[in-house]
Amino acid sequence: MKSRRGALALLMLTALIGALFIPVGSGAAAPTPWYEPVDRPSPDSEINVTGEPFTGTDADGDVRGFVDTHDHLMTNEAFGGKLVCGKPFSELGISDALRDCPEHYPNGAGALLENLTVDTDWRHDPVGWPTFQDWPSYTTMSHQQNYYAWVERSWRAGQRVMVTDLTSNGVICSIYVRDRGCDEMDSIRLQAEKTYDMQDYIDKMYGGPGKGWFRIVKSPAQAREVIKKGKLAVVLGVETSEPFGCKQVLDMAQCSKADIDQGLDELRSLGVQSMFLCHKFDNALCGVRFDEGTTGTIINIGQFLSTGTWWRTEECRGPQSDNPIGDAAVPEFEKKLPPGAAVPKYADGARCNVRGLTRLGEYALRGMMDRGMMVEVDHMSVKAAGRTLDILESKDYPGVVSSHSWMDRDWTERVYALGGFIGSYDMDSEAFVREAATTADLREEYDVALGYGSDFNGLGSHPTPRGADAPDKVTYPYRSYPDGPLVDRQVTGERTWDVNVDGGAHYGLIPDWIEDVRHLGGQGIVDELLGGAQSYLDTWVSTRDWSEPLNLARGARPSASSVQWTLLKRFVAGKANDGDVGTRWASRWSDQQWLALDLRSQQSISRVVLDWEDASAKSYQIEVSDDGSTWRTVWRTTDGAGGIETARFDPVTARHVRVHMSERATRYGYSLHEIAIHSG
């Protein structure tokens, strides 16, 4: 009996061991790779990328991957829900996600925005899935380009960071067909919710929470871990016209500092990491950089309907200028104007917005800094962007981003010097290569890499195709980097996409566009793009690590050569170091004047920041003293520009600091809102 039992046990053990070691090729199912879904909907778009995405870090411990600094995943939920047709995902499948708006049937004549801007024959085939005869295209304004599987293709081919901006505009919503209300903050909340829903949707395909490749991140540390795992770090941003209700009506602000604080706190609770203070409309925070062509006319009309003010221009004071204002006639929108109102004409020589960064805008900017948020400077008027950079430089704040080609070379260097990051618009391949070359030396000098801002579903155009017969065209399949996955033509339904003839029609063609850039610009530019993820994280980390520098001027004993006064108030010296940018010191109306601060003890000093009122100094110098009697000059200028000016010099030790002014920039005296003194 014992021998039979022993033989049976041995037989069972042998069978078990044999089962454990059956070769895969002997009929056992191979496990699903981590980067493939276990339950993708059917039917669905193809991905057409073969091979495992890279994971980990390089020899220096850096992550790698492409970074898209500017996308709009959820614009279909913005502007009243009817401006962009189709969805990035749908629980009902691709046939529901990629279908046109009912208003566009039967022939596209109802697509008002697209027809006014790019589709001049007022016709398109509205059918999306499965034929896609006319949309999406590289010129489309009002059709979905961010379907989740197209984003997945870009991730599989090497993208590791996406900044998706939640966007809207209440006036465009109100004058366009819509199926919901037009409150911009309500739209922002909904778009954030839908982005988290998209994460859940993808997770479900991959087996449950946290298992998908689409990961919304709220810190650079989270982003780094996501990228190390080979997944896509998704960063939430905001790009809306009147955030927190901060519109202006007849130049009167409709929001308060309390509204701004409450709004910023809410955005942080939603996971938002970056933000534009103004977009399209001049609001209570800042002026905008204008739009060109038909779009410019539509936006200018929208601003007038919202605020009672048109864009206003003046001659520019420096080398930068705002965009030329669109002056195309758009009768479909002009008829919405009240009787007697008409779109203004603008002088050719006046190319700058009169509106800059307001005091409320400065409060919002400092609120973003206090909360460790990254500041987007694109869309700001020249005057507003210049003031913003002045403030950031005065505080050594690195959290500044230009996400889609609004910087000239001078401002590019200012952004890089702060530690910021720049993404170039994903324009035509040739133009992208040219633009990248103009600042390649700056990227090398400041050790930063390159990003791109796709702006899909951002109501703009995308890379035009170079043509099937173009020299050195993209050949399929290809590898988007030397050891990368194999990328073939993208297939969705009955449509096969080829970047040579379709250009940047949808998000899934970003890898193909990068390959076209490589053909024109060489492997070096792709290597820079692969460094984009780490470079963006460097900016984000520095932003989170920043702290307000100690201001030695606070609590110092002030004195001045003279004080201006009126019947109602005196502009005394102490107003220049009281911490309130709404007050100011002002001198009498003569050249030789000074403002001094006794720091009460010896201090190391290397930086003085002056926030001038309009009555600034053209020539002045910074002096220091140990005893308040014998002064030595540590910095001087004969070309003062006003605004916020930062004087930097080698560290010195002194108890007294004096601003000695010798030539006025105006016929008035001198006037300072604030003086700050720093040791580093």
Side-chain angles (χ1 to χ4, degrees):
M1 188 72 175
K2 287 182 179 179
S3 63
R4 288 183 180 178
R5 287 177 179 172
L8 181 59
L10 180 62
L11 181 63
M12 293 175 65
L13 179 62
T14 302
L16 177 60
I17 293 172
L20 290 172
F21 288 94
I22 293 175
V24 172
S26 301
T32 302
W34 67 267
Y35 51 88
E36 294 281 3
V38 295
D39 188 22
R40 190 186 295 278
S42 181
D44 205 355
S45 172
E46 298 179 28
I47 307 301
N48 309 107
V49 178
T50 306
E52 182 176 2
F54 57 77
T55 59
T57 60
D58 64 15
D60 296 323
D62 291 338
V63 297
R64 63 173 177 161
F66 307 128
V67 53
D68 181 355
T69 51
H70 195 98
D71 187 43
H72 297 283
L73 279 176
M74 296 295 165
T75 311
N76 59 293
E77 304 291 351
F79 304 103
K82 293 285 189 175
L83 196 65
V84 171
C85 306
K87 310 169 188 175
F89 75 99
S90 171
E91 295 286 354
L92 300 178
I94 191 170
S95 61
D96 179 64
L98 296 181
R99 65 178 181 180
D100 212 339
C101 292
E103 293 78 13
H104 292 193
Y105 283 84
N107 56 14
L112 182 60
L113 177 65
E114 186 140 324
N115 295 336
L116 287 171
T117 53
V118 296
D119 204 354
T120 54
D121 66 356
W122 288 63
R123 293 291 184 273
H124 73 260
D125 181 356
V127 177
W129 171 269
T131 55
F132 301 105
Q133 178 176 319
D134 286 339
W135 70 267
S137 71
Y138 66 92
T139 61
T140 192
M141 286 277 192
S142 57
H143 294 99
Q144 186 56 246
Q145 297 172 293
N146 280 313
Y147 186 59
Y148 92 90
W150 298 338
V151 178
E152 180 181 346
R153 171 182 165 89
S154 188
W155 157 66
R156 287 281 301 273
Q159 183 176 338
R160 290 297 177 270
V161 178
M162 169 197 278
V163 180
T164 178
D165 286 314
L166 317 175
T167 187
S168 197
N169 181 290
V171 174
I172 292 177
C173 166
S174 69
I175 62 179
Y176 206 76
V177 60
R178 63 188 185 277
D179 61 10
R180 63 197 66 178
C182 295
D183 183 274
E184 291 185 17
M185 291 305 296
D186 284 346
S187 180
I188 295 303
R189 296 179 190 105
L190 177 61
Q191 291 172 61
E193 177 185 340
K194 291 292 185 179
T195 308
Y196 285 101
D197 289 347
M198 181 167 164
Q199 178 176 256
D200 294 343
Y201 177 78
I202 294 170
D203 276 354
K204 187 164 60 176
M205 280 187 227
Y206 282 76
K211 294 187 176 181
W213 51 269
F214 183 94
R215 312 308 316 155
I216 299 169
V217 294
K218 299 180 180 180
S219 73
Q222 280 186 350
R224 179 177 172 81
E225 290 306 308
V226 164
I227 298 169
K228 283 173 64 177
K229 292 177 181 178
K231 299 184 178 185
L232 180 69
V234 180
V235 181
L236 300 184
V238 164
E239 181 188 42
T240 196
S241 296
E242 294 167 342
F244 328 132
C246 279
K247 66 188 298 180
Q248 54 89 11
V249 175
L250 299 177
D251 288 322
M252 298 293 292
Q254 304 299 298
C255 66
S256 66
K257 291 180 179 179
D259 294 326
I260 291 169
D261 284 328
Q262 181 179 345
L264 288 174
D265 288 341
E266 180 182 9
L267 292 185
R268 295 293 286 119
S269 71
L270 293 174
V272 171
Q273 307 300 321
S274 60
M275 179 183 169
F276 294 77
L277 288 179
C278 52
H279 177 243
K280 301 301 183 183
F281 288 1
D282 296 331
N283 61 26
L285 307 178
C286 55
V288 295
R289 206 161 183 179
F290 307 144
D291 279 86
E292 303 180 50
T294 300
T295 301
T297 302
I298 293 172
I299 298 299
N300 203 3
I301 290 171
Q303 172 169 305
F304 179 81
L305 294 175
S306 175
T307 70
T309 63
W310 299 100
W311 287 332
R312 292 187 288 123
T313 63
E314 64 184 6
E315 291 188 9
C316 300
R317 302 175 186 176
Q320 292 82 19
S321 63
D322 293 321
N323 297 321
I325 295 178
D327 59 358
V330 189
E332 293 83 359
F333 280 83
E334 291 179 58
K335 67 184 180 183
K336 299 179 181 296
L337 291 171
V343 179
K345 300 296 182 182
Y346 295 94
D348 292 338
R351 282 282 303 277
C352 280
N353 194 335
V354 300
R355 296 182 176 94
L357 188 68
T358 68
R359 287 297 178 183
L360 268 182
E362 291 184 21
Y363 183 83
L365 175 63
R366 291 185 168 91
M368 291 181 67
M369 296 163 66
D370 291 341
R371 292 164 175 81
M373 299 176 70
M374 289 177 281
V375 180
E376 292 264 14
V377 291
D378 292 355
H379 289 292
M380 282 183 174
S381 68
V382 162
K383 186 180 290 187
R387 176 77 174 179
T388 297
L389 291 173
D390 288 343
I391 292 173
L392 299 180
E393 288 166 344
S394 75
K395 301 289 188 179
D396 285 339
Y397 189 76
V400 55
V401 176
S402 169
S403 58
H404 55 337
S405 291
W406 291 66
M407 293 287 102
D408 68 359
R409 181 181 172 86
D410 177 55
W411 281 4
T412 293
E413 183 163 16
R414 293 179 70 180
V415 170
Y416 285 154
L418 281 166
F421 189 76
I422 291 177
S424 295
Y425 194 81
D426 73 335
M427 57 194 76
D428 300 349
S429 304
E430 297 101 325
F432 185 88
V433 170
R434 286 195 304 270
E435 181 171 292
T438 62
T439 53
D441 61 320
L442 294 178
R443 293 194 300 278
E444 181 176 6
E445 178 181 351
Y446 291 97
D447 192 25
V448 294
L450 188 60
Y452 55 83
S454 70
D455 206 17
F456 277 108
N457 288 140
L459 310 184
S461 60
H462 298 284
T464 56
R466 291 201 293 130
D469 299 326
D472 199 20
K473 67 178 184 179
V474 172
T475 57
Y476 294 91
Y478 65 86
R479 297 188 187 278
S480 56
Y481 46 93
D483 56 337
L486 200 63
V487 183
D488 209 340
R489 290 177 177 84
Q490 202 283 314
V491 178
T492 304
E494 299 171 14
R495 178 75 183 269
T496 299
W497 308 87
D498 182 328
V499 74
N500 299 299
V501 294
D502 296 311
H506 63 64
Y507 207 95
L509 293 171
I510 286 180
D512 310 56
W513 170 77
I514 291 175
E515 175 67 2
D516 199 35
V517 166
R518 185 188 70 81
H519 279 236
L520 295 170
Q523 184 61 38
I525 194 169
V526 176
D527 292 342
E528 281 200 78
L529 287 166
L530 281 167
Q534 180 62 52
S535 195
Y536 181 84
L537 290 190
D538 289 343
T539 293
W540 196 0
V541 167
S542 297
T543 303
R544 286 295 183 89
D545 288 346
W546 176 86
S547 59
E548 178 83 26
L550 177 65
N551 181 6
L552 301 174
R554 295 297 302 275
R557 185 181 296 112
S559 58
S561 55
S562 65
V563 170
Q564 184 186 139
W565 59 274
T566 69
L567 291 176
L568 298 178
K569 65 175 63 175
R570 287 168 56 86
F571 300 97
V572 297
K575 298 296 186 182
N577 69 323
D578 62 358
D580 184 352
V581 295
T583 63
R584 62 188 176 95
W585 162 75
S587 76
R588 293 177 180 171
W589 295 10
S590 61
D591 281 331
Q592 295 295 330
Q593 301 288 342
W594 54 263
L595 174 74
L597 294 177
D598 176 358
L599 305 182
R600 302 178 188 272
S601 64
Q602 294 286 103
Q603 300 287 343
S604 175
I605 304 163
S606 61
R607 181 159 50 106
V608 174
V609 179
L610 304 176
D611 184 354
W612 296 99
E613 196 250 358
D614 290 341
S616 62
K618 182 178 180 182
S619 299
Y620 66 97
Q621 58 197 39
I622 307 297
E623 301 169 338
V624 298
S625 173
D626 296 323
D627 57 9
S629 298
T630 304
W631 297 92
R632 58 191 188 274
T633 300
V634 294
W635 185 92
R636 74 174 70 234
T637 183
T638 58
D639 194 27
I644 292 180
E645 294 188 298
T646 301
R648 299 175 187 269
F649 42 87
D650 292 336
V652 297
T653 300
R655 173 171 171 165
H656 301 266
V657 177
R658 185 167 73 176
V659 184
H660 188 166
M661 294 149 278
S662 54
E663 184 181 359
R664 290 169 291 164
T666 71
R667 65 186 181 89
Y668 306 106
Y670 304 99
S671 185
L672 278 168
H673 285 292
E674 282 292 305
I675 177 172
I677 301 171
H678 303 291
S679 61

